[in-house]
Amino acid sequence: MVGRDAERARLSAFVRAPDGQALVLRGEAGVGKSTLLDLAARLAAEDGQLVVRATGVEAESGLPHAGLHQLLYPLLPTSDDRPYDDRSCDDRSCDGRPSDDRPSDAPLPSAGARAAFDAAFGRSDGPPPPVMALGIAVLDLLSWTAAKGRPLLLVLDDGQWLDGASAEVCGFVGRRLAGRPGVKLLVAVRADTASRFDTAALPEAPVGALADADATRLLDLHHPQLGRQVRGLVLEQAGGNPLALLELPAHLTAGPGDRATQDLLGLHGVPLPRRIQEIYAARLARLGDTVRAELLRGALDGSAARPGDGPAPIARYRMREVDEAVACGLLVVEPVTGELAFRHPLVRSSVVQLATPDQRRSAHRVLAQLHREYPERRAIHLAAATVDPEEGVAADLEAAARSATRRGGARMAVSWLTRAAELSETRVDRSRRLGEAAYVAGQADHLGRARSLALAAAAPGADESPAAVLADSYLALYRDGEVRATHRRIVAAVERLRDSPDRRPGRSDRGPDSPFPDEVLDRLVSLLLAVSQYAGNRATWQRTHEVLATLGDLATERAWMYGSTWSDVVRHGAGWSRRVERASASLTDQDPWDVTRLAVSAYHLDVLSPLRPYLERVVDRELDTGAMSSGIVMLHLVLLDQLALGQWDAAERTGHRALALATERGHGLFAHQTRAYLAQLAAVRGRTAEARELQAAVDAWARPRGVGFLTQIADAVGATAALGDGDYETAFLHAIGITAPGAFRPYAYQASRTLLDLVEAALHTGRAEQARAHALAARDAGLPDLSPRLALVTHGALAMTAEDDTEAAAHYARAQSHPAAERFPFELARIRLAHGIGIRRLQGAAAARLPLTQAAKAFDRLGAPAWAARAHAELRAAGVAPHTPSPAPLPLTWQERRVAELAAGGLTNKEIGEQMRLSPRTVSAHLYRAFPKLGITTRAALRDALTRISQPTPAP
């Protein structure tokens, strides 16, 4: 290896380092990356390490996890000898050997790891594991292998052609090898070809061109007899690229000197890899047709014998009678396996590009027959080999697409379904497959392509196809927030399907051969329910329920579950919690969009927490491998559960991630929905100005569009923010904008969720009767039986508004002893604060200290400073000295002082703004900055705080 001393030293240190690590070699084609990988592999083998090698294959770049399987196959235990820890082997290992045969520090891969591998590699029918789950399984397998006594080096060449799913897992694993001694990952990628390793955040080592002196030395070592003119031309054209230095002389000396030189000079300005390809093409042109056909089959199939998806390696195409190609330097013999392989990936590219379309189709037919046992590989070759419509081929492609979707390959599934539609023999099958492709494309966030596929699915002169309605409605809802027209359009499409003469009497009689299979109807109904949820008004939901009722047995139980829980849990939510929990027991068998819909029901019923671990496991997979819309909804659900559980820092990170994704993708609805959730988070954390800014943005976007789901959240944010500020009148006005006291407005999902806000605001503004009426309405509506959170806040509201001490004590006890009370720490702390205040006034300071202390600690832990300050103030009034001295008040600006004085005088923000010629929002911002300076959290404390400070009021 000439001129690579620095690279050799780094690789030697990398291979012999005791700690686990990863390294990416990056350089142009032909610069010597593969030779450096060979060096690292040899050094590792000499050091007693186990070396596993794999190579990215362009023909497999669309097969999910194909590259990962190639890399891991030599390490995967077989079905007959699998040392997995399935917790059922007592004192003997699962392969029948005594457990003490294993090193004590070699923990076995778990049964979960086995399930992850089986799902990813197509050995089971389960959905593909997410990147994190599969990455952890890979890490476990690598650690187990290394712990058996031999360090492990994974070597991956041509990483730019690794399929996306495999590259993501390799990146995940590479970033976590530092804490796993004995395991290293070495990857080589081309600098001029995009790949997932570009953003993998792994350490990199550039491999550049040779210096002039080294290039001259390398050329003289391999071609010492070159004439001066040819030697100078080679050095100039190669530009320090080792492969070019080795290949160009043979090209120039193989034919007439002037002709070869002119050919080479004619390529001046063409990228070097292309020039080398032309050299290989010239050699190929001199081969016989039979040899070139063999090379073409090997090039399209990868040629080298590599492991596959079953218990034994896939039978790859073995090139025969190709000595002529070996002699002219196009093929080499692998020293380890003895198999024929292309000398360089550029040779493979040249072989494919030189072939005619008929020759490529003929080669694909041979390969399709070779891979008849492997549906996805067979589908790739059948699709390329077939020209005229052929139903058998179309069906195979459709089956492969379904398999790819389950394994996280939504993008490849769209391509295969589109090709299957092109090869369909009937209009009905073509329309159905295009409709399926449109749906998968929509779920993969390719809404433009989904729209074009849906239009292609429509029959000329016929009514708008269901696929077109689905695609357009997704676009209108998620991009633009259009709920009114979208609802009408979906209702019309559902009714056309319901009344179609092709509709058969029962669901069991309908199948994929029907022009309107149940699956399409189910998808339209699910989207109709989603549109209704976002509309959030009574008329829309009543129309939706009417449509569901007319469908009869065509409406699934899931449809009724979503229609009941998403619309109005107060009136329709009874009895669904247990069914949601039962349906959640088998999430791995469900499509990602079905999981998200079920989780939305769980959120409305406040039983989301058990589903969250699964959502966190699969969300990265959905975002990385296709189902973008489902992925963003999953992030929303994770955020909401984090918010409910008081994990507010994590919720904020989740929210900003979802907002970045939604904004980048142009999802206006999801972006403003995320802002609404972040506004709720800011409101409970006391960041009032931020909460109101986000609230205003959400309200301004959602209200004109009639997106009631978001305008209700905006009103709830206003109520929570005002409560934190101690502005109870404003809080009450926001709360009654959602629902009137003493009732729960139909189909307003925030009506029950803001129960405690309305009651507290009413009590603090002297509206005790309205507060009591609202608490009784919650009891009479059966809210405690609907969800654990509603049980907590209903008993809290009844306790706060109780007419006698005995009733109050009973409800406070029921609220605080509820089995799920600790799952909602913010609401529980508010109830304990109210309990402590009530006890202190009626029973004295000593009795109040426990609930007040619990409330103060909870608010401190949550990071709710306004509520914490209120609780600590009550503790001081109960005779508990503060743990730290109160900070001295900070000086106010002139405007802050003036605004505070007017607020202390009883003026509202609007009245203050009119007097000082400021907007109400600016007034709120001044108060937001003044409160912490004064050491207070409520307007009621303003007068005393202003009296205490002795600073002079500066002139404006």
Side-chain angles (χ1 to χ4, degrees):
M1 298 183 67
V2 175
R4 296 299 186 194
D5 292 342
E7 289 85 351
R8 294 176 67 178
R10 178 158 187 180
L11 287 177
S12 178
F14 172 82
V15 168
R16 295 190 168 97
D19 297 330
Q21 53 185 297
L23 182 65
V24 176
L25 304 181
R26 187 181 296 275
E28 69 174 349
V31 80
K33 301 184 298 298
S34 298
T35 306
L36 290 170
L37 295 184
D38 292 340
L39 169 67
R42 186 172 70 252
L43 292 174
E46 291 172 356
D47 198 42
Q49 300 181 28
L50 175 62
V51 180
V52 178
R53 304 195 63 167
T55 302
V57 181
E58 198 168 7
E60 294 182 350
S61 59
L63 292 174
H65 299 119
L68 184 65
H69 188 279
Q70 184 194 154
L71 188 65
L72 297 182
Y73 180 81
L75 307 176
L76 292 174
T78 65
S79 58
D80 296 329
D81 182 25
R82 56 183 186 206
Y84 288 111
D85 181 9
D86 60 5
R87 309 296 180 190
S88 62
C89 301
D90 299 327
D91 62 338
R92 298 183 65 82
S93 64
C94 295
D95 56 3
R97 294 173 298 196
S99 57
D100 55 6
D101 286 350
R102 299 191 306 267
S104 60
D105 58 348
L108 298 181
S110 66
R114 176 175 61 197
F117 290 136
D118 288 347
F121 301 146
R123 293 175 177 172
S124 68
D125 294 332
V131 171
M132 180 175 290
L134 187 54
I136 291 172
V138 172
L139 286 169
D140 288 347
L141 176 64
L142 299 181
S143 296
W144 175 79
T145 303
K148 289 192 297 184
R150 294 183 66 186
L152 174 64
L153 174 65
L154 302 174
V155 180
L156 174 61
D157 202 356
D158 282 328
Q160 72 278 354
W161 285 329
L162 207 65
D163 62 278
S166 296
E168 290 290 344
V169 174
C170 287
F172 178 92
V173 170
R175 291 188 293 272
R176 289 160 176 80
L177 288 179
R180 296 174 183 263
V183 182
K184 299 181 186 70
L185 172 65
L186 184 61
V187 184
V189 297
R190 286 191 187 176
D192 57 350
T193 303
S195 77
R196 294 293 181 93
F197 288 101
D198 297 344
T199 56
L202 298 177
E204 292 194 359
V207 183
L210 295 176
D212 291 345
D214 293 324
T216 301
R217 183 184 168 202
L218 178 63
L219 182 62
D220 290 345
L221 283 172
H222 287 269
H223 300 283
Q225 304 301 323
L226 287 179
R228 179 178 178 183
Q229 181 179 3
V230 174
R231 183 172 175 273
L233 179 62
V234 170
L235 289 171
E236 176 187 355
Q237 294 293 317
N241 184 286
L243 182 64
L245 290 168
L246 300 179
E247 297 291 1
L248 289 176
H251 173 72
L252 292 173
T253 58
D258 292 341
R259 175 65 180 276
T261 302
Q262 290 175 3
D263 289 346
L264 186 60
L265 292 175
L267 294 173
H268 184 72
V270 175
L272 185 60
R274 172 71 184 279
R275 281 180 271 167
I276 299 175
Q277 275 188 270
E278 292 294 336
I279 294 173
Y280 290 142
R283 296 185 198 174
L284 287 166
R286 295 193 289 268
L287 299 177
D289 291 343
T290 303
V291 175
R292 283 166 58 183
E294 287 291 311
L295 294 179
L296 180 58
R297 293 165 192 157
L300 293 174
D301 197 40
S303 80
R306 291 186 177 86
D309 288 342
I314 288 178
R316 293 303 185 108
Y317 188 81
R318 298 179 181 274
M319 296 177 286
R320 300 175 179 83
E321 307 297 331
V322 288
D323 294 343
E324 190 179 354
V326 176
C328 69
L330 295 173
L331 297 178
V332 295
V333 178
E334 291 283 359
V336 177
T337 65
E339 297 288 339
L340 291 170
F342 290 100
R343 179 177 182 180
H344 193 274
L346 291 175
V347 177
R348 183 185 292 114
S349 302
S350 300
V351 170
V352 176
Q353 291 176 10
L354 195 65
T356 65
D358 283 342
Q359 289 170 338
R360 286 196 291 268
R361 283 192 288 270
S362 177
H364 280 299
R365 279 193 289 271
V366 173
L367 296 174
Q369 179 63 22
L370 176 69
H371 295 305
R372 57 187 176 275
E373 301 298 327
Y374 305 97
E376 291 185 10
R377 285 178 168 80
R378 183 168 184 266
I380 291 176
H381 295 300
L382 283 175
T386 308
V387 177
D388 297 322
E390 187 173 332
E391 181 56 31
V393 175
D396 288 340
L397 283 169
E398 187 175 6
R402 289 174 179 165
S403 174
T405 301
R406 289 196 304 268
R407 295 174 60 194
R411 297 180 182 92
M412 179 56 69
V414 173
S415 298
W416 286 345
L417 285 167
T418 304
R419 182 64 176 141
E422 294 171 353
L423 298 177
S424 299
E425 295 180 351
T426 68
R427 181 189 65 78
V428 169
D429 287 329
R430 177 182 179 276
S431 178
R432 176 173 58 79
R433 286 163 178 152
L434 283 175
E436 180 70 12
Y439 183 76
V440 177
Q443 294 298 322
D445 202 42
H446 298 299
L447 298 181
R449 187 174 185 187
R451 169 64 178 158
S452 62
L453 288 167
L455 290 175
D463 290 333
E464 191 175 37
S465 73
V469 174
L470 274 172
D472 281 352
S473 297
Y474 273 113
L475 189 65
L477 178 63
Y478 295 126
R479 289 282 173 90
D480 304 322
E482 175 56 60
V483 293
R484 300 183 182 98
T486 304
H487 185 269
R488 292 193 295 269
R489 190 176 181 189
I490 299 175
V491 166
V494 170
E495 290 178 336
R496 281 197 301 272
L497 284 179
R498 179 197 64 197
D499 300 334
S500 168
D502 296 302
R503 185 173 68 83
R504 297 174 188 148
R507 293 182 62 86
S508 60
D509 296 329
R510 297 168 56 76
D513 294 333
S514 168
F516 306 113
D518 285 337
E519 195 169 35
V520 175
L521 180 62
D522 291 344
R523 290 169 178 173
L524 279 171
V525 169
S526 295
L527 185 55
L528 178 66
L529 294 167
V531 172
S532 304
Q533 177 181 229
Y534 281 111
N537 65 69
R538 184 173 190 166
T540 302
W541 269 117
Q542 286 180 337
R543 181 72 178 110
T544 298
H545 285 145
E546 290 172 2
V547 172
L548 279 179
T550 64
L551 291 177
D553 63 351
L554 293 175
T556 64
E557 182 185 9
R558 283 290 182 93
W560 282 110
M561 177 189 297
Y562 304 151
S564 299
T565 56
W566 298 2
S567 60
D568 188 344
V569 292
V570 175
R571 290 164 179 80
H572 304 298
W576 285 109
S577 288
R578 290 187 178 179
R579 282 186 264 190
V580 168
E581 291 170 347
R582 283 199 302 269
S584 303
S586 57
L587 295 177
T588 56
D589 299 330
Q590 303 178 44
D591 287 331
W593 34 89
D594 289 327
V595 172
T596 57
R597 292 165 189 155
L598 182 64
V600 171
S601 289
Y603 161 69
H604 284 289
L605 295 168
D606 297 309
V607 291
L608 178 58
S609 291
L611 280 74
R612 181 175 139 199
Y614 180 83
L615 297 176
E616 290 177 323
R617 287 197 302 271
V618 303
V619 65
D620 287 333
R621 179 195 73 191
E622 303 313 317
L623 294 172
D624 294 337
T625 62
M628 179 63 64
S629 299
S630 294
I632 295 177
V633 176
M634 287 179 180
L635 286 178
H636 284 166
L637 292 163
V638 171
L639 183 160
L640 289 169
D641 193 58
Q642 291 168 334
L643 179 58
L645 293 175
Q647 300 164 353
W648 291 351
D649 289 338
E652 192 155 6
R653 291 192 296 270
T654 303
H656 285 297
R657 181 187 182 192
L659 181 59
L661 287 169
T663 303
E664 176 188 350
R665 296 285 176 165
H667 284 302
L669 179 66
F670 285 159
H672 283 88
Q673 186 175 353
T674 310
R675 292 187 181 99
Y677 294 149
L678 289 173
Q680 287 184 307
L681 183 58
V684 296
R685 304 194 86 164
R687 303 202 300 251
T688 310
E690 177 187 341
R692 287 176 176 162
E693 183 178 353
L694 289 167
Q695 172 199 8
V698 171
D699 196 78
W701 185 88
R703 203 168 293 277
R705 291 172 169 81
V707 186
F709 186 87
L710 297 188
T711 58
Q712 290 178 44
I713 297 179
D715 284 331
V717 169
T720 304
L723 282 173
D725 274 352
D727 186 357
Y728 298 111
E729 184 65 32
T730 300
F732 183 75
L733 293 175
H734 278 296
I736 64 174
I738 298 172
T739 188
F744 293 91
R745 197 177 81 197
Y747 304 102
Y749 93 103
Q750 283 289 334
S752 58
R753 306 192 79 82
T754 55
L755 165 63
L756 212 55
D757 295 341
L758 194 154
V759 168
E760 284 196 80
L763 287 172
H764 282 284
T765 55
R767 299 177 172 93
E769 291 184 4
Q770 295 185 33
R772 178 63 174 173
H774 205 55
L776 292 174
R779 182 200 63 188
D780 295 342
L783 265 59
D785 298 325
L786 294 178
S787 84
R789 181 183 177 276
L790 291 179
L792 174 67
V793 297
T794 299
H795 289 301
L798 288 168
M800 293 177 190
T801 61
E803 296 178 345
D804 60 70
D805 298 345
T806 303
E807 180 189 353
H811 284 297
Y812 277 128
R814 293 188 67 179
Q816 295 178 67
S817 64
H818 192 282
E822 297 293 341
R823 284 169 38 197
F824 307 98
F826 183 59
E827 289 84 353
L828 179 59
R830 289 168 64 178
I831 292 169
R832 282 174 169 161
L833 176 59
H835 188 200
I837 293 172
I839 291 177
R840 183 174 64 82
R841 291 173 181 171
L842 296 173
Q843 300 179 25
R849 289 170 187 167
L850 177 59
L852 289 176
T853 300
Q854 291 174 325
K857 288 182 177 179
F859 289 133
D860 286 335
R861 184 175 61 254
L862 289 168
W867 292 88
R870 196 174 305 165
H872 284 295
E874 292 293 337
L875 271 175
R876 287 194 295 273
V880 178
H883 295 292
T884 57
S886 299
L890 298 174
L892 303 178
T893 66
W894 178 85
Q895 271 196 326
E896 289 170 354
R897 175 65 178 264
R898 184 59 181 151
V899 168
E901 289 172 345
L902 293 173
L907 298 184
T908 66
N909 288 1
K910 183 178 180 181
E911 291 168 339
I912 296 171
E914 291 172 351
Q915 185 165 330
M916 297 187 63
R917 297 185 180 180
L918 300 173
S919 70
R921 186 185 302 176
T922 303
V923 173
S924 174
H926 282 309
L927 287 172
Y928 175 72
R929 290 190 293 269
F931 276 23
K933 291 182 179 182
L934 294 170
I936 62 174
T937 60
T938 69
R939 282 178 181 254
L942 272 171
R943 186 175 300 280
D944 291 340
L946 291 171
T947 302
R948 284 196 307 270
I949 63 174
S950 58
Q951 66 179 59
T953 304

